[in-house]
Amino acid sequence: MTRTTPAAAPAGLHLPRYLREDPAARTPVGFAGYRSTAVRAPLRTPVDLPHRLTEVTGPLLGEDRVRPEDADLTRRAGGEAVGQRIVVHGRVLDSDGRPVPHTLVEIWQANAAGRYRHVVDTWPAPLDPHFDGLGRVVTDAEGRYEFLTVKPGAYPWRNHDNAWRPAHIHFSLFGRAFTQRLVTQMYFPDDPLFFQDPIYNAIPEAARPAAVSRFDHSRTVDHWALAFEWDVVLRGADQTPFETEDDGDVA
Amino acid sequence: MSRLPLTPSATVGPYLAIGLTWEDGEFVVPEDTEGAIWIRGTVFDGNGDVVPDALVETWQADPEGRFDHPDDPRGAVAHPGFRGFGRAQTVPDGEFALCTLKPGRVPDGEGGLQAPHVDVSVFARGLLDRVVTRVYFADEAEANAADAVLQGLPEDRRATLLATPTDDGYRFDVRLQGDRETVFFAV
Ligand SMILES: [Fe+2]
């Protein structure tokens, strides 16, 4: 039986239940070594929000937000970006290993010299007229994504004395639900700057490998590009339908 | 079945505008939509200073309380141009603005109805993960009084989630810290 009466709340709403993450395994919102968290990260313990309809749904943004050229960051403004050309590819999955198909992936990064095309980035590294640092793709039916870009440079910041960010690419993902929204950074293997970077070290140690891409020789292109593989894993959901319509413990 | 380790979050940093700017981000509906309202607000840090480099994202039901999503089994009601999702930066003066329709009441899955609400994510330099809150509407007293999430909060904290009516919609300020720190949720 379907229960689709709009007025009342159908007790038998069959909603996916997204897993809650162990706070000890998550990046904390604030971290002492990252100075600007001090006046920005909330100090009170967050209140648990039950997962209702608003939380288990989310924007399903797709092809209308991307153009084919958005996957290639190396050709902008009529010319070629300077730097080490790299393929960055992988899959967007949930924690049960299910691919997340047709979901928007947005990235942004510094150029090969470590400079962002942004008004507040003023350190003396050159801008590249053919690199704006923005990429967008939608995953395919198997959850795969792929960009062609240049390897971003490390860059200095004022967090502590002689502070440098390890090379990274910023990633933004939606998944299928508000609960799955993720903004993060992809690192490169064996970066010598990890030891002094509070943004990397704020990640609980056991979770750090999941933030680092893997050199992928199989996807390098002879006389063209190196390659790195990075899978993004979003929270999984229990999709099993309920057996009884009277089960009140839903949503 | 063993689960894959989740990808950890990281801050959007100071250069989010490069990657997360959409020309139409603030328009959950086109501005000329009948019933369109503006939700405007400022994000404040623990010193009471304006946060000029935050991103505010919203997700909400349509005026009938429905979502255009396969996991809403009731199916969406057509509101032309209604995206449900909004994205606005707090630039250049620290204020964000989102043009939307007021959401309807949404079933709570336990036989009741939630008060009209908008789920909000705030991203900024200095936040290593998003922080999540909800906009409720101060002029929905009756619905708010029956909302389990709101009523589960101490009364003085509840007020931080109530958007107040303005000339063209509502005002909803976010206080990341302080005596009037906004209620943030773990999802
Ligand atoms: Fe960065």
Side-chain angles (χ1 to χ4, degrees):
Chain A
M1 281 295 290
T2 51
R3 294 192 187 181
T4 52
T5 345
L13 277 177
H14 290 172
L15 302 181
R17 292 197 282 193
Y18 285 87
L19 304 164
R20 286 185 188 264
E21 204 177 347
D22 175 7
R26 300 181 59 136
T27 311
V29 178
F31 184 71
Y34 177 20
R35 278 197 330 193
S36 48
T37 68
V39 293
R40 291 189 166 189
L43 300 176
R44 294 174 188 254
T45 305
V47 175
D48 279 339
L49 185 67
H51 293 174
R52 312 278 196 207
L53 269 166
T54 319
E55 290 70 42
V56 302
T57 56
L60 302 175
L61 304 158
E63 301 289 348
D64 59 322
R65 302 235 61 109
V66 304
R67 302 165 303 168
E69 59 266 34
D70 293 341
D72 183 355
L73 289 79
T74 70
R75 292 176 180 278
R76 296 285 156 90
E80 268 197 288
V82 171
Q84 177 81 66
R85 211 180 276 118
I86 58 173
V87 171
V88 175
H89 76 101
R91 295 212 293 166
V92 182
L93 304 167
D94 71 19
S95 53
D96 293 315
R98 283 186 283 249
V100 183
H102 314 302
T103 190
L104 179 65
V105 180
E106 298 171 292
I107 67 168
W108 69 102
Q109 65 167 89
N111 69 21
R115 178 93 184 262
Y116 283 93
R117 184 172 289 285
H118 189 285
V119 64
V120 306
D121 187 2
T122 55
W123 81 288
L127 283 169
D128 180 342
H130 301 301
F131 189 79
D132 61 19
L134 164 66
R136 289 189 174 125
V137 296
V138 173
T139 59
D140 71 9
E142 275 78 51
R144 287 185 296 244
Y145 74 88
E146 180 172 335
F147 293 99
L148 182 68
T149 184
V150 295
K151 191 169 180 197
Y155 60 87
W157 60 315
R158 299 184 193 286
N159 186 70
H160 56 277
D161 185 44
N162 194 23
W164 292 81
R165 292 299 328 282
H168 61 273
I169 299 177
H170 296 263
F171 270 71
S172 162
L173 301 114
F174 287 90
R176 302 171 42 82
F178 183 79
T179 53
Q180 289 186 313
R181 182 84 178 97
L182 178 69
V183 176
T184 187
Q185 302 180 18
M186 182 201 94
Y187 296 97
F188 293 88
D190 305 317
D191 196 309
L193 291 166
F194 283 153
F195 80 95
Q196 55 80 66
D197 183 52
I199 295 179
Y200 175 80
N201 287 292
I203 304 168
E205 195 168 358
R208 286 178 206 157
V212 182
S213 59
R214 179 184 76 85
F215 176 68
D216 184 2
H217 184 260
S218 75
R219 289 296 307 276
T220 57
V221 183
D222 186 25
H223 283 77
W224 186 251
L226 296 179
F228 293 87
E229 181 183 30
W230 191 54
D231 288 344
V232 180
V233 181
L234 308 175
R235 283 199 266 175
D238 176 5
Q239 307 267 6
T240 314
F242 294 94
E243 293 301 320
T244 67
E245 287 198 346
D246 295 329
D247 187 343
D249 181 26
V250 293
Chain B
M1 177 172 161
S2 72
R3 298 196 189 274
L4 299 174
L6 300 184
T7 304
S9 77
T11 181
V12 289
Y15 309 122
L16 70 149
I18 296 172
L20 299 180
T21 299
W22 293 354
E23 259 179 45
D24 63 348
E26 68 208 69
F27 294 101
V28 182
V29 286
E31 196 170 12
D32 58 5
T33 306
E34 178 157 0
I37 56 168
W38 284 91
I39 299 176
R40 303 177 191 275
T42 304
V43 180
F44 295 98
D45 70 14
N47 293 331
D49 292 330
V50 165
V51 175
D53 54 3
L55 179 79
V56 173
E57 287 186 350
T58 57
W59 173 246
Q60 62 166 92
D62 73 7
E64 276 70 48
R66 296 179 181 225
F67 297 90
D68 183 13
H69 191 283
D71 286 327
D72 184 342
R74 302 161 303 158
V77 171
H79 280 268
F82 179 78
R83 191 170 63 198
F85 177 74
R87 171 186 271 186
Q89 292 168 60
T90 57
V91 287
D93 57 357
E95 185 172 276
F96 68 87
L98 291 150
C99 182
T100 189
L101 298 174
K102 194 171 178 182
R105 298 183 73 175
V106 175
D108 65 7
E110 294 171 5
L113 288 169
Q114 302 179 78
H117 64 273
V118 176
D119 274 12
V120 177
S121 303
V122 180
F123 302 86
R125 173 179 65 83
L127 298 175
L128 286 160
D129 198 352
R130 65 171 170 168
V131 291
V132 170
T133 185
R134 267 187 173 188
V135 175
Y136 285 90
F137 299 89
D139 53 2
E140 295 282 345
E142 193 182 321
N144 289 344
D147 185 276
V149 170
L150 263 187
Q151 296 311 312
L153 302 169
E155 195 171 350
D156 59 321
R157 303 271 290 135
R158 215 177 288 160
T160 69
L161 302 185
L162 298 180
T164 51
T166 60
D167 288 348
D168 63 356
Y170 294 86
R171 166 156 288 275
F172 182 77
D173 291 336
V174 175
R175 290 179 176 78
L176 294 173
Q177 294 180 355
D179 291 346
R180 289 183 293 158
E181 181 178 310
T182 299
V183 171
F184 295 105
F185 294 105
V187 290

